[in-house]
Amino acid sequence: MASSAFELAEFLPYRIAVLSERISRRLSLIYGAEAGITVAEWRVMVHLARCREVSVREIHNCVNLDKPRVSRAVSRLTEAGLVAKTGSATDQRLLSISLTEEGQGLLARILPPARAYERRLLQALSPEEQATLSTIMEKLHQVMDTDPDARPRSRLDLPRDAAE
Amino acid sequence: MASSAFELAEFLPYRIAVLSERISRRLSLIYGAEAGITVAEWRVMVHLARCREVSVREIHNCVNLDKPRVSRAVSRLTEAGLVAKTGSATDQRLLSISLTEEGQGLLARILPPARAYERRLLQALSPEEQATLSTIMEKLHQVMDTDPDARPRSRLDLPRDAAE
DNA sequence: TGACATTTGTTGCATTTGCAACGATACCAG
DNA sequence: CTGGTATCGTTGCAAATGCAACAAATGTCA
């Protein structure tokens, strides 16, 4: 009974969720206003900017979206002319997905304000705090890495070594 | 073109979202397995444990869920017998929502493992890191507090003073 | 009092989500 | 080869979500 002073507002998972939702929602104004881009589409496009030609599965493994979500995001982007789907020559099952000229143009307009907003967030933190935040997030991930019931982390979300 | 080395995996909003989703999903196994409770229902119940009798609007303002979501969560919980809805006597518009005996019982079973999981996460961090994490999250919130385009923060998510 | 604005909770509706099942292609063992 | 298995992308479907519209109750001000 004494343990009943449970404060949701102090519960770590809740606090992280609230912060995350708030930031995501604010950020989606940036890429949602410029074009009717959703979070899934945003992630797909950003990933394509780095990995020129990838399959659905690659994207799925890299940007924390399940397969159907990637598939539908790619379909919408293809309809919008922002992305090109080509069947791979070597493996008929695979798709080769890439940004079109238009997609690159859109991303070029969206990326700067998105980065600016990230900078705005980071500037509120001291360099030490920024470093500590990375450490903390990595440690929390590691707790879940050793937890068989937690969903595995995607390869790209593992910490970067210096030698990359 | 030189600015194209944009790494989604290093983008702060993305990193926070991934961590948050991973934790939320893991946590939902705890209160999802015990009873078919969703995140919204979980938040409503936890809030009710603290504030005995509240309206939909109160909950909506406190636990970061929009009104329809609260309304439907309360309906589901009422159907399940975990929550009681009574019309307020003084103001016919308001509802007086509270946990039933059964709801209290369920919460009593769910809360300990949920807190245990939080502890497991926190134990991965040093006391200094825990304090820094709070500082960091508060600073990020403050950036958005001064941003007219960001969604306002709910009252209960403001930092606690010592005098509480 | 009576017209008008506000607040409260609910509902409609289009969209998104998550999971499982599915056809199609590629791989592999005998 | 050939039958079985694994992988890839898509689709079905039930549930959840977000936003706006809504009816009912209250407040306000002439």
Side-chain angles (χ1 to χ4, degrees):
Chain A
M1 213 52 43
S3 76
S4 61
F6 180 75
E7 284 287 346
L8 184 60
E10 292 172 3
F11 190 55
L12 185 62
Y14 171 78
R15 291 204 293 155
I16 295 179
V18 168
L19 180 62
S20 171
E21 285 165 22
R22 201 174 181 209
I23 294 178
S24 282
R25 193 165 282 273
R26 173 60 180 85
L27 193 70
S28 74
L29 291 182
I30 293 176
Y31 50 73
E34 181 73 31
I37 298 298
T38 69
V39 182
E41 289 156 10
W42 154 259
R43 287 190 190 174
V44 167
M45 290 190 68
V46 167
H47 184 68
L48 287 178
R50 178 168 145 72
C51 309
R52 301 332 197 75
E53 299 248 335
V54 270
S55 65
V56 168
R57 198 180 96 69
E58 272 295 309
I59 303 177
H60 154 62
N61 278 339
C62 291
V63 299
N64 262 276
L65 299 170
D66 57 8
K67 261 189 315 181
R69 231 173 133 189
V70 173
S71 175
R72 293 191 232 253
V74 168
S75 295
R76 279 190 299 259
L77 289 171
T78 303
E79 272 184 75
L82 300 169
V83 146
K85 282 203 286 193
T86 321
S88 162
T90 71
D91 189 333
Q92 297 285 94
R93 292 171 303 180
L94 268 67
L95 283 183
S96 180
I97 303 164
S98 58
L99 284 178
T100 62
E101 287 277 339
E102 198 183 343
Q104 292 178 17
L106 176 64
L107 202 58
R109 288 200 305 281
I110 289 179
L111 224 37
R115 301 176 83 152
Y117 201 77
E118 182 197 28
R119 218 172 305 126
R120 188 166 162 189
L121 291 173
L122 286 174
Q123 278 171 354
L125 309 179
S126 71
E128 297 77 30
E129 284 168 340
Q130 292 182 23
T132 306
L133 179 56
S134 289
T135 304
I136 289 171
M137 293 179 71
E138 177 55 26
K139 284 186 175 179
L140 294 178
H141 269 301
Q142 283 174 5
V143 171
M144 313 188 78
D145 289 340
T146 65
D147 180 346
D149 292 332
R151 186 164 285 204
R153 174 153 57 145
S154 72
R155 184 172 45 78
L156 281 191
D157 292 327
L158 291 170
R160 297 233 171 292
D161 321 67
E164 168 91 60
Chain B
M1 216 49 45
S3 77
S4 61
F6 181 75
E7 283 288 348
L8 185 61
E10 291 172 3
F11 189 55
L12 184 62
Y14 172 78
R15 290 203 294 155
I16 295 179
V18 168
L19 179 63
S20 171
E21 287 166 20
R22 201 174 182 209
I23 294 178
S24 281
R25 193 165 281 274
R26 174 60 181 86
L27 192 71
S28 75
L29 291 182
I30 293 176
Y31 51 73
E34 181 73 30
I37 297 298
T38 69
V39 181
E41 289 156 10
W42 155 259
R43 288 191 190 173
V44 168
M45 290 190 70
V46 167
H47 184 69
L48 287 178
R50 177 168 145 70
C51 309
R52 299 333 198 73
E53 299 248 336
V54 270
S55 65
V56 168
R57 196 182 92 73
E58 272 294 310
I59 304 176
H60 154 62
N61 279 340
C62 292
V63 300
N64 261 277
L65 300 170
D66 56 7
K67 262 189 314 182
R69 231 172 134 190
V70 173
S71 175
R72 293 192 231 254
V74 168
S75 294
R76 279 189 300 258
L77 289 171
T78 303
E79 271 185 76
L82 300 169
V83 147
K85 282 203 285 193
T86 320
S88 162
T90 71
D91 188 334
Q92 297 285 93
R93 292 172 302 182
L94 270 76
L95 283 182
S96 181
I97 303 163
S98 59
L99 283 178
T100 62
E101 286 277 340
E102 197 182 342
Q104 292 179 18
L106 176 62
L107 203 56
R109 288 200 304 282
I110 289 179
L111 225 37
R115 302 177 83 153
Y117 201 76
E118 182 197 27
R119 218 172 305 128
R120 187 166 161 190
L121 291 173
L122 286 173
Q123 278 173 353
L125 308 178
S126 72
E128 297 78 29
E129 283 168 340
Q130 293 182 25
T132 306
L133 178 57
S134 289
T135 305
I136 289 172
M137 293 179 70
E138 178 54 25
K139 285 186 175 180
L140 294 179
H141 269 301
Q142 282 174 5
V143 171
M144 314 189 76
D145 288 341
T146 66
D147 180 348
D149 293 331
R151 185 164 286 206
R153 174 153 56 144
S154 71
R155 184 173 46 80
L156 280 190
D157 292 327
L158 291 170
R160 298 232 170 290
D161 320 68
E164 166 92 61

